[in-house]
């Protein structure tokens, strides 16, 4: 297993050409992990950076290249929708915040096609979320029918909207299982309303851990890569992460998520910090 993890880390973070050196069973297993987590586009981009396209089997290279092209098209569609939504919110004088993958894809990853985009996650002040939701419906965003209507009142989001293949969720609060997230309130700001508000690295880590726990850590490789990316590129203050995890009752979830990110992808984390999280959890 350790050899497989080392190969997976190398493919995702360094040089995918290592696939050509692996036994077929291990190569197939890693490729399946990339496919189910929608990470082929990221792997192909890494392959182009290293100039090693000849080092990957032709069939796999073709599959990755097609996924990359489709991901670029998808990212363009979502970028256009995001720009439209920000314009609608600005017209209503409503501040909005981007959450999770939406923020990561469009404001932190080098290019949005490198991060799987399944929906736009937009947070508005609780008293304004319904107004924004209704305004989007007036702009031909159609409400999806919920399969569990009795659960709607307990969700952190309003019913999901879709337009031309783009899915949008408007959040009243950032996470279902965090009732009093200290980053949720919208303070007065002099910034241009056409520019969304973004989370700092510390609450982003807690939210990613929340989402991993909500899915019981299944199909989580993309989120683990997000955590590694945030820890490496944004260098969150670990004491602040520790404080937010304790304040939101998420110490155990944050510990498990970061432990996985450390063990699977070698996310840069201090072992004493993980021990503190474990003790609180």
């Amino acid at each position: 297993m350790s050899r497989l993890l080392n190969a997976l880390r190398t493919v995702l973070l360094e040089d995918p050409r290592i696939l050509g050196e692996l036994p077929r069973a291990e190569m197939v297993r890693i490729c399946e992990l990339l496919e189910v987590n929608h990470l082929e586009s990221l792997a192909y981009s890494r392959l182009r950076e290293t100039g090693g396209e000849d080092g990957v089997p032709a069939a796999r290279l073709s599959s990755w290249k097609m996924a990359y092209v489709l991901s670029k098209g998808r990212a363009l569609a979502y970028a256009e929708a995001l720009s439209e939504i920000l314009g609608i919110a600005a017209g209503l004088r409503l501040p909005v915040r981007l959450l999770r993958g939406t923020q990561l894809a469009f404001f932190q990853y080098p290019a949005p096609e490198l991060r799987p985009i399944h929906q736009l996650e937009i947070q508005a002040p609780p008293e304004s979320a319904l107004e924004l939701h209704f305004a989007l419906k007036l702009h031909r965003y159609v409400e999806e029918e919920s399969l569990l209507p009795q659960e709607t009142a307990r969700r952190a989001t309003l019913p999901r909207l879709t337009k031309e293949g783009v899915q949008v969720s408007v959040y009243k609060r950032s996470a279902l299982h965090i009732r009093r997230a200290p980053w949720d309130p919208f303070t007065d700001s002099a910034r241009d309303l056409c520019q969304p508000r973004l989370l700092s690295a510390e609450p982003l880590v807690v939210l990613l851990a929340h989402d991993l726990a909500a899915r019981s850590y299944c199909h989580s490789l993309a989120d683990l890569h997000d955590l590694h990316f945030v820890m490496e590129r944004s260098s969150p203050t670990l004491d602040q992460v520790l404080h937010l995890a304790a304040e939101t009752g998420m110490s155990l979830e944050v510990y498990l998520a970061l432990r996985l990110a450390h063990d699977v992808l070698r996310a840069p984390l201090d072992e004493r910090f993980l021990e503190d999280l474990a003790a609180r959890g």
Side-chain angles (χ1 to χ4, degrees), residues 35-223:
E35 181 180 351
V36 78
N37 287 278
H38 306 284
L39 291 171
E40 309 105 298
S41 180
L42 178 65
Y44 180 71
S45 174
R46 193 79 67 192
L47 195 63
R48 293 177 65 191
E49 290 173 3
T50 58
E53 297 185 15
D54 293 338
V56 174
R60 192 62 59 187
L61 178 64
S62 176
S63 173
W64 285 7
K65 187 173 184 178
M66 179 59 68
Y68 178 78
V69 171
L70 293 175
S71 184
K72 282 186 74 74
R74 186 179 182 86
L76 286 172
Y78 272 79
E80 183 178 339
L82 178 59
S83 178
E84 179 183 35
I85 292 168
L86 293 177
I88 293 169
L92 296 171
R93 306 296 299 168
L94 296 179
V96 294
R97 178 183 289 124
L98 303 187
L99 299 175
R100 302 174 177 84
T102 307
Q103 172 178 329
L104 285 166
F106 290 103
F107 286 90
Q108 292 187 251
Y109 271 75
E113 61 267 19
L114 303 184
R115 202 274 176 194
I117 306 172
H118 304 298
Q119 61 176 329
L120 295 176
E121 296 177 286
I122 312 290
Q123 186 183 6
E127 67 277 7
S128 306
L130 191 59
E131 182 182 0
L132 177 60
H133 191 265
F134 182 71
L136 294 181
K137 290 168 71 173
L138 292 179
H139 284 78
R140 297 189 297 134
Y141 286 84
V142 179
E143 187 174 312
E144 291 186 348
E145 183 178 356
S146 174
L147 298 178
L148 298 170
Q150 71 276 13
E151 295 291 323
T152 301
R154 293 194 291 163
R155 290 165 54 189
T157 64
L158 294 166
R160 192 159 59 183
L161 302 169
T162 183
K163 178 181 178 181
E164 298 174 354
V166 172
Q167 295 182 320
V168 182
S169 290
V170 177
Y171 283 69
K172 296 176 286 186
R173 50 191 175 85
S174 58
L176 174 62
H177 301 297
I178 304 177
R179 291 290 179 183
R180 295 178 181 272
W183 56 82
D184 272 350
F186 282 76
T187 57
D188 292 335
S189 173
R191 285 180 291 180
D192 185 353
L193 285 172
C194 288
Q195 295 298 318
R197 304 186 186 200
L198 303 176
L199 290 168
S200 60
E202 294 82 11
L204 196 54
V205 167
V206 177
L207 276 184
L208 288 170
H210 166 276
D211 293 350
L212 278 162
R215 291 201 313 278
S216 299
Y217 306 93
C218 297
H219 301 297
S220 58
L221 186 57
D223 282 330

Side-chain angles (χ1 to χ4, degrees), residues 5 8-9 208-209 212-213 215-221 223-225 227-228 252-269 274 277:
L5 287 180
L8 180 61
R9 280 193 294 270
L208 288 170
L212 278 162
R215 291 201 313 278
S216 299
Y217 306 93
C218 297
H219 301 297
S220 58
L221 186 57
D223 282 330
L224 292 180
H225 185 272
L227 277 172
H228 179 278
L252 179 58
E253 291 83 351
V254 173
Y255 166 73
L256 291 173
L258 289 178
R259 169 57 70 184
L260 276 172
H262 176 71
D263 291 348
V264 175
L265 296 179
R266 291 288 183 263
L269 286 161
L274 291 174
L277 271 174

